[in-house]
Amino acid sequence: VKGNSMASNFVRAGKKIVAIGRNYALHVKELGNEMPKEPFFFLKPTSSYLPSGGKLEIPKGIVAHHEVELGLVIGKMGRDIPASQAESYIAGYTEAPLALAVDMTARNLQQKVRKAGLPWSAAKGFDTFTPIGGWIPKKDIVDAHNLQLNLAINGKIKQDGNTADMIFRIPQLIEHVSSVMTLEEGDLLLTGTPDGVGPVVPGDSVSCALKDASGKELLKLEFDAVEREKGYHFVE
Amino acid sequence: VKGNSMASNFVRAGKKIVAIGRNYALHVKELGNEMPKEPFFFLKPTSSYLPSGGKLEIPKGIVAHHEVELGLVIGKMGRDIPASQAESYIAGYTEAPLALAVDMTARNLQQKVRKAGLPWSAAKGFDTFTPIGGWIPKKDIVDAHNLQLNLAINGKIKQDGNTADMIFRIPQLIEHVSSVMTLEEGDLLLTGTPDGVGPVVPGDSVSCALKDASGKELLKLEFDAVEREKGYHFVE
Ligand SMILES: [Mg+2]
Ligand SMILES: [Mg+2]
Ligand SMILES: [Mg+2]
């Protein structure tokens, strides 16, 4: 599969989602966490993708938080990628996409497993927990480190951040992740969320936008929340 | 892709590896952990697969532990699968494989992130950290809950357990995981390791076998360990 076709097919054909944690200082502070000394990341399954317009399913007992994030679609396979060469591995910089995504998080389950030193995989990996909206054609990409990201619930803005405020910038993220695991064409890298995270409850309508420095809207993403009928039921 | 072809291609084409933790009582005790009340799992990236005969690459500063495990290749997509229907979703029960795998674990990095409440993804996800060996044709499958699993380093047996000792059995594992995330054709489910885990160091030759109740060898898996040249360097 060539870069361009995989770039538009990553939701269906991509293999992994690598998500960076704590990459905006105000978000680190709002959750009372320690400032990271190096990037860290977790995996989300591609079975958690929810295309724009879909229904976010919130399992019973789960407090589901929104985290709006800039996503980078990997354009070619690489490992041990130096920061200086990172841009050539991002489809967004070559033929196609930056993506707009929400890293939905089961916050109460995450807090419970964190205390016990257990993995985050379930708390981050429920079906529909990675809403994702489109990609930006090469001609529209200006500076990935100067994009405005926002998220509104029922029309009220909850998150409104700028990618200029990332603690670790994109080339460093690619270098770090690829020093651990090979990145493959169609993988998605989520780059962390700005402050303002909070709950989404059944009945909410969520809308997100990505804008460039001039205020031009590049991408949008919308979904409605419902209660998941079956499946995991969280009890504290 | 039909069951049989995906079953033999899951290493190349599968999307996720879901690995169960703490599923054998003696292994829970040897690491000083609490006995689980429900199954828990983490994700490993498919970029960590190492076919039998390959080189396990141990990053500098990492204490890499072997965990030999029975793997189940998922044969068809499902979510919210009741334990009573779980068998029909496992390729091993239908057309093809049970697999033999090692869930290599960066134990010192894992201990550090567990204390900090951080994800396990890097500690479990380094390139080559999921050595994998073949699959069992349907005709050779007897009882997946009565298989002997062993692992030897330089010819000396280190792990020798029986799948009869799983705390949560296969149908419960499938029910639990699929209550969180959809399982897809070609996904691999690792079912936990028996006791006897310990370090593999550069220069070691590792060999694993899966035997049925009669002692007949069904699968084997072999690899040699080397030091990873570049990439992540762990410092305490
Ligand atoms: Mg996030
Ligand atoms: Mg994890
Ligand atoms: Mg294991």
Side-chain angles (χ1 to χ4, degrees), chain B residues 15-177:
Chain B
K15 289 195 168 183
K16 63 182 176 284
I17 304 171
V18 181
I20 304 293
R22 302 182 195 165
N23 202 25
Y24 288 80
L26 293 177
H27 170 62
V28 178
K29 285 180 191 158
E30 75 180 344
L31 292 185
N33 285 320
E34 260 184 77
M35 218 54 86
K37 295 192 188 79
E38 65 178 13
F40 79 86
F41 63 86
F42 50 89
L43 296 168
K44 299 187 74 148
T46 59
S47 46
S48 70
Y49 277 132
L50 176 72
S52 188
K55 300 282 184 204
L56 171 71
E57 298 182 344
I58 302 176
K60 292 185 182 67
I62 289 293
V63 175
H65 271 202
H66 55 80
E67 300 187 354
V68 68
E69 311 202 3
L70 178 68
L72 309 173
V73 182
I74 300 300
K76 65 178 179 187
M77 182 181 289
R79 80 187 293 220
D80 298 337
I81 302 168
S84 61
Q85 292 170 31
E87 292 199 3
S88 68
Y89 289 84
I90 303 165
Y93 283 93
T94 54
E95 300 173 53
L98 304 189
L100 180 58
V102 181
D103 170 24
M104 291 298 307
T105 304
R107 193 70 75 202
N108 51 352
L109 174 58
Q110 185 196 35
Q111 281 164 341
K112 183 178 175 178
V113 297
R114 282 188 51 199
K115 276 185 204 140
L118 290 172
W120 295 19
S121 306
K124 292 285 193 175
F126 287 99
D127 284 356
T128 75
F129 266 40
T130 311
I132 181 95
W135 58 88
I136 303 176
K138 184 181 177 184
K139 67 177 176 51
D140 291 335
I141 295 176
V142 277
D143 177 2
H145 291 104
N146 186 13
L147 295 170
Q148 199 73 21
L149 278 169
N150 68 47
L151 179 145
I153 299 182
N154 305 324
K156 193 171 168 199
I157 293 284
K158 300 290 183 178
Q159 294 190 268
D160 192 14
N162 195 292
T163 58
D165 295 325
M166 288 184 190
I167 298 171
F168 301 103
R169 289 163 77 88
I170 294 167
Q172 290 172 276
L173 299 178
I174 301 269
E175 178 174 292
H176 177 75
V177 174

Side-chain angles (χ1 to χ4, degrees), chain A residues 164-223:
Chain A
D165 295 325
M166 287 183 190
I167 298 171
F168 301 104
R169 289 163 77 88
I170 294 165
Q172 290 172 276
L173 299 177
I174 301 269
E175 178 174 291
H176 179 74
V177 173
S178 74
S179 80
V180 174
M181 55 183 68
T182 294
L183 289 169
E184 295 175 275
E185 192 181 348
D187 286 351
L188 182 72
L189 180 67
L190 298 178
T191 56
T193 196
D195 62 302
V197 303
V200 177
V201 299
D204 281 346
S205 288
V206 180
S207 58
C208 310
L210 184 73
K211 295 177 183 175
D212 70 13
S214 76
K216 178 184 166 192
E217 187 170 283
L218 301 172
L219 284 177
K220 57 201 252 180
L221 164 59
E222 297 179 328
F223 55 93

